Amino acid sequence: MAEKKKATPKADKSAEKPPGGRLKLIILIVILLLLLAGGGGAAYYFLWYGKSADEAGESEASAETPAETVTQSEQSTAVPPEFAPLVYHKLDGLTVNLSPGAPVRFLRVTLTITTPNQAVITAVDKHMPMLRNDILSLLAAQEYAALNTPEGKDTLRESLRQTLVRLLVRASEPSDIRDVLFNELIMQ
């Protein structure tokens, strides 16, 4: 009898362990991984594709409001500024005397301005005498050593752009000039 009593506790211990405990753990881990992957995919979708859908929804909602003064034809031709095609406008050549004492005495520059707005081109043509005056003053103040480096040329381009923008703003004209490009830069 003593032997029978010892055998029964072993049977009770095996009955206490749930069968397939490891299988349940594996299933739980797989479900957790699927939930994490789904959450990551949803976050990716809403972060990258949700913005364009929201912006499209907002533009449609704003287009339907009667308080808008923009006509339907203007809406179809309106292009966001960052995607609008650039218009290139070539300016006449400019020749200036450089500062005295420099080995180079003359600077000849031909410029092109870039803008997405045709009204800027009209404003530049309208105010050309004022713009030429200030551009000539800016160019005459340059030094050969500074202009002979790529950084000096980039600095001059940015100075010219800022000068043009400042003058157009002062004249109450559109001033969205994106860049000033050199077509010709000759120092002699």
Side-chain angles (χ1 to χ4, degrees), residues 1 24-25 27-28 34 55 59 65-66 70 72 93 97 108 127 131 135 148 152 155-156 163 171 177:
M1 271 192 129
K24 288 182 182 178
L25 182 62
I27 291 174
L28 183 62
L34 287 174
E55 291 169 358
S59 65
T65 59
V70 178
Q72 186 66 23
N97 293 328
R108 175 152 179 86
H127 298 286
L131 297 175
I135 291 172
N148 204 26
T155 303
L156 178 60
T163 300
I177 296 177

Side-chain angles (χ1 to χ4, degrees), residues 13-60:
K13 287 182 183 177
S14 65
E16 290 175 8
K17 282 187 180 179
R22 286 188 180 185
L23 180 64
K24 288 182 182 178
L25 182 62
I26 291 172
I27 291 174
L28 183 62
I29 290 173
V30 168
I31 290 174
L32 184 63
L33 288 175
L34 287 174
L35 286 174
L36 287 173
Y44 174 79
Y45 175 78
F46 286 116
L47 287 176
W48 291 104
Y49 299 109
K51 287 182 182 178
S52 61
D54 290 341
E55 291 169 358
E58 289 175 7
S59 65
E60 288 174 7

Side-chain angles (χ1 to χ4, degrees), residues 110-160:
T110 305
L111 304 172
T112 298
I113 61 170
T114 62
T115 180
N117 189 352
Q118 185 64 37
V120 173
I121 303 299
T122 306
V124 166
D125 289 340
K126 178 180 174 184
H127 298 286
M128 186 53 73
M130 176 182 63
L131 297 175
R132 280 183 69 89
N133 179 57
D134 285 8
I135 291 172
L136 288 171
S137 298
L138 178 66
L139 291 174
Q142 300 302 309
E143 296 180 8
Y144 171 78
L147 288 179
N148 204 26
T149 64
E151 294 84 16
K153 290 178 179 86
D154 288 340
T155 303
L156 178 60
R157 284 178 49 225
E158 183 58 26
S159 297
L160 288 167

Side-chain angles (χ1 to χ4, degrees), residues 160-171:
L160 288 167
R161 188 190 73 77
Q162 289 175 357
T163 300
L164 290 170
V165 168
R166 179 179 43 84
L167 292 171
L168 290 174
V169 167
R170 189 172 68 187

